[in-house]
Amino acid sequence: MRSRCWSKLVLFVAVGGAVAPRAWADGETPPGRDPKQPVDEAYTEKIRKYTTKPYFSSPLVDYLPASKNVPTPQAVLGDVAGAPGILPYAEDVYRYMRLLEKASPRVKVFSIGKTEEGREMIAVAVSSEENLKNLEENRARLGKLGDPRSIKLDDAEADKLVAEAVPVYYITGTIHSPETGAPTALMELAYRLAVDESPYIKEIRDGTVTLITPVVEVDGRDRMVDLYKWHLAHAKQFYPWLVYWGKYVAHDNNRDAMGVTLKLTENVLNTYVGWKAQVLHDLHESVPYLYDNTIGDEPYNAWIDPILADEWQVIGWNNVSAMTKFGMPGVFAHGDFDTWSPGYLMFIAALHNGISRLYETFGNGGADTEERTLQPEEYARTWYRQNPPLPKVLWSQRDNNNYEETGLLTSLHFFTENKQRFLKNFYLKAKRSTTKPSEEGPAAYVLPGDDPRPGLQAELLQVLEKQAVEISRAKSAFTVTLPAKKPKEPGKGKDRKEEKSEAPARTTREFPAGSYIIRMDQPYSRIADALLDRQYWSPDDPQKTPYDDTGWTFGELFGVQVTRLTDIKVLDVPMDRVTGIRAPGGVKGQGTVFAINNSAEPALATLRYKLHDASIEAAEEPFESAGKKFNRGSYIVRNTSRADLDRAAAELGVEVTALGAPPGVKTHPVRAARIVLVHTWLSTQTEGWWRLALDKLGIPYDYRSTQAIAKIPDLNAKYDVILFPPVGYNAGVNAVVNGIPTAWGNPLPWKNTPETPNLVGKNDSTDDLRPGLGWDGVAHLQEFVERGGVLLTAMDTSSLALSLGFADGIGTQNASKMKIVGSVVGTRLVDEASPIAYGYEEKGAAYCDNGPIFSLSSIAGQRGRRRLGPEVRARPTGRGSLDDPDFAVGRPGVEVPEERKSETWESPPVLDEQKRNGFRVIPPSLRPRVIFRYADSKDLLVSGLVEGGDEIAQRPAVVDAPSGKGHVVLFSINPVYRGETWGSYAMVLNTILNFDSLNAGRKDPSE
Ligand SMILES: [Zn+2]
């Protein structure tokens, strides 16, 4: 809500500016203006007016120095930075930065790339004229410090460079679009750094290059400004929530620093690495009033250099100290953020030898001045927050800007004062990354040259390339020693003597020529190590609420082989540096029928859609031909020219074998199904990762909201497959079907209008965000499946489909003790003949975030039984021993009917008693078919946190439930997530391409 209670504002008495606070020690430069430099009186007066309490400001920002030729932010904003009612679009922010560049030799603007929707991203360098003139020489110096191999790890040479180099401090704003304050704060910050002649600011300007990307999520910023303008124009109404930020994801844009799938991540990463920057400081707004969360809480990421952990403390505590001395309340470090996951944007610095930093300040989600009431835990005094925020305040965007700028300026100043220390650390961290093989290990990671999934292997290597990791390729085969396996427990089923003779022996492994080697003796070894290694989050960790995912091992999630090697000899293998890695592809051999082995590589689906006129069949059994083995599900391609196929296959990295004759195995068509991807208006983020994956693979789909689905009576006429990816936030039937209540309030439109020109972009629109799928929509979905369509759901939409009764014979349970928090878990293939499983091996891994826990039943309407606690099938007390039958005195003994056993993932056998008038017994051909299950309890944890895993161990992970003439395919895992789960994409793609043959290979129990 908007409030303009300016009369209530307390205008504080001018501090006078010239007075240097006494809190600063001898030798320290006190913050505050230079009395000789004139102040922009009008601007300064506005700052005071818009600051709601004097203590929400500081001597660094309570005035604005005047300049004769450099325009203040007012030139573009029409008012001061942080003024109520004013949120600039990104292009306005850029226009101002370019005005600064034109007016001052101390400012340079660089274009750093485009967003998904084609908007520009910039980085603004502010420093002394001399520093900006010598950027290239300085970059060369920083480059040498950043790659100590270039100076032969010579510390004395490094010290010389440290003495001469100017460090780069990179600040990024507004990655999270509803956190709106950073752009105006950064406009004013750039002005101050360029114009202010106070010793404090001058030291920063002369000593450091401040690099600023004022808007990271540019597409989202423009949408947010549209929404805010809508709100200003409809002051008495509720306003729509920001349902899209960027094209694909919302808040998760700050979880992409591992996969680097979004343009904003790539552009910031390239800028950070290209500038050889020392700090990446990302600005957020969700906590009162300034939380330096970089220090956060345990557990810290295990792969960062401990030097960095110390830098976090040093800079963070200095920040808290300086702002506490200014008397600004609510400035603190520590708190509830753990620093485990490396997915945050700031972590680009943490794992590229820099310093990651992050502020949470307090934003109003717009530029209204509002009364804000805090929760007790927010204003409580704690050991790390002795001067906590106030329980209730009038808060303005200007207050927020004051905190952001004051924090940044004190941070920049402390960093500059200690720049030699931080530059030396930058060198040391790079050096320690380079000496990693001998100092700490591992020596390298190897991705074998004969991996059955060269396409997925190339995808993983491309992520490492984006991360600026050096990749090499072995020129010949090589053998390395693997560490000895731990000795087994003595005496387990084996003669002790025998065990002695097989004392822990080292093993060797040979890798073929062409294997990829990720050497750990390179400056950016740590990011590769962090992505490729395994993670273990202890269930006993005192941190009980992990901030984000706990596991992410890329080899497992991409379904490719990655071997961690400690044998340092691997570094002596003859190898070449390689870039632009792509899987080989094209047609080989002679013949008119073409075969493509199926190894669950997503590129096969791309090929199917690309060659729309070709006839493609899937082999329902494995076969051998032309001296090659082909897996079940391999493609048999006909009716296409060899040239077309060769071109497409080469482009996609798919190997095709021409055969003299088609193999004599049963086949069915692989069709380019017509897909619709359904989204709610509640949240579009989790499904956004699915859109991104489909777009990247070039698989066409329609994109429709639940509201639109409700208006399409015959879905089968338009679509073969409906993808309903997770909604997020465990949205249940009420939220998805009913949406947001419409009994009160006003419609919340999401569409382009003259006042909101940027809202829709290439996404979807509606007159009112509130209505959900509705019961008509539910009926349409159900009819779609009944008539032969395939509905694919995952996680919460799987629970939704079951709650709505779309599939029978599957129950879901809520976890009681289980905690699997964004972890990599083991999976096992149950039904290799199902088309959904084509190309997969018996053992696999997938991303799981607490379920849901499926259980199967052959009885309609019955919840599957849950098996917890000890088995109660032991024989009762009686005669004989454990394996003997009991007896009853006075009557003949009877044979106990043998109980048919079933596995945890299967439906329990139908009991004779249940077959009596068994109208609820689901006929065998209509029972759900388990394709993948979770691994056994002991194999469930691959990476991350798995606590109480017994509840989901061995449970179905992917189930194909026949329903009418169609299918509901339910995932408990999330197969498409954050561009990190390439290995499980084919489970979805197989479902799509075999939509009308999902029953292939089905074996029904005879009953
Ligand atoms: Zn944020």
Side-chain angles (χ1 to χ4, degrees), residues 691-766:
R691 274 183 283 135
L692 188 145
L694 292 174
D695 287 351
K696 171 134 202 218
L697 292 168
I699 294 176
Y701 59 93
D702 277 0
Y703 182 53
R704 297 271 180 270
S705 72
T706 45
Q707 291 175 4
I709 291 296
K711 294 194 186 98
I712 304 175
D714 185 2
L715 286 164
N716 304 74
K718 295 175 87 106
Y719 305 114
D720 303 309
V721 176
I722 295 178
L723 301 180
F724 198 169
V727 173
Y729 315 106
N730 286 314
V733 172
N734 189 19
V736 175
V737 176
N738 296 326
I740 305 292
T742 53
W744 62 84
N746 49 277
L748 303 173
W750 185 273
K751 54 184 191 180
N752 283 356
T753 64
E755 67 194 353
T756 57
N758 304 290
L759 269 195
V760 177
K762 285 172 186 142
N763 291 320
D764 204 355
S765 62
T766 177

Side-chain angles (χ1 to χ4, degrees), residues 306-522:
I307 292 175
L308 170 61
D310 294 337
E311 289 173 323
W312 285 340
Q313 323 290 330
V314 166
I315 305 184
W317 277 113
N318 177 268
N319 241 205
V320 174
S321 164
M323 294 176 76
T324 300
K325 285 188 232 175
F326 291 140
M328 300 174 88
V331 178
F332 64 104
H334 292 295
D336 62 359
F337 177 81
D338 68 63
T339 305
W340 177 247
S341 163
Y344 313 104
L345 188 80
M346 64 166 170
F347 247 75
I348 288 170
L351 288 169
H352 290 86
N353 302 325
I355 302 170
S356 55
R357 305 210 63 218
L358 192 148
Y359 285 163
E360 296 284 2
T361 59
F362 198 41
N364 286 349
D368 292 358
T369 301
E370 296 185 86
E371 201 149 79
R372 300 290 301 272
T373 308
L374 302 187
Q375 295 299 306
E377 67 272 16
E378 290 177 303
Y379 59 76
R381 189 178 56 78
T382 63
W383 67 268
Y384 54 80
R385 193 171 54 193
Q386 284 289 357
N387 183 2
L390 292 90
K392 194 170 185 176
V393 288
L394 186 69
W395 189 256
S396 68
Q397 170 113 315
R398 181 66 217 185
D399 296 333
N400 183 27
N401 280 188
N402 288 343
Y403 271 77
E404 286 170 315
E405 287 188 61
T406 302
L408 288 169
L409 286 170
T410 53
S411 193
L412 281 165
H413 190 261
F414 178 75
F415 177 78
T416 306
E417 270 184 321
N418 297 279
K419 65 176 180 166
Q420 299 221 344
R421 183 208 315 193
F422 292 117
L423 280 168
K424 186 68 186 278
N425 282 355
F426 175 66
Y427 164 74
L428 282 177
K429 285 182 283 184
K431 183 181 164 189
R432 284 151 62 103
S433 296
T434 307
T435 56
K436 188 171 166 59
S438 55
E439 300 298 325
E440 60 186 76
Y445 286 86
V446 176
L447 285 75
D450 55 359
D451 193 296
R453 301 196 171 107
L456 285 168
Q457 184 186 60
E459 290 293 344
L460 172 48
L461 291 167
Q462 283 163 20
V463 173
L464 295 177
E465 279 195 83
K466 282 187 186 172
Q467 294 278 7
V469 171
E470 296 171 3
I471 300 166
S472 305
R473 206 160 185 204
K475 291 197 210 178
S476 52
F478 61 96
T479 302
V480 289
T481 307
L482 301 178
K485 292 233 167 75
K486 276 188 204 155
K488 289 172 200 152
E489 281 175 60
K492 258 200 178 163
K494 269 186 185 171
D495 198 284
R496 271 168 196 273
K497 228 193 228 166
E498 203 184 316
E499 282 217 357
K500 237 182 188 176
S501 66
E502 51 166 31
R506 286 162 178 261
T507 51
T508 58
R509 176 161 172 187
E510 185 173 332
F511 289 95
S515 292
Y516 292 98
I517 300 174
I518 319 296
R519 303 175 66 102
M520 290 291 109
D521 58 349
Q522 58 169 306

Side-chain angles (χ1 to χ4, degrees), residues 175-176 179 251 283-286 360:
I175 184 172
H176 284 164
E179 302 165 13
H251 194 267
L283 300 178
H284 292 255
E285 296 163 30
S286 70
E360 296 284 2

Side-chain angles (χ1 to χ4, degrees), residues 573-586:
V573 171
M575 61 181 95
D576 295 319
R577 272 285 303 281
V578 286
T579 54
I581 292 159
R582 297 179 47 152

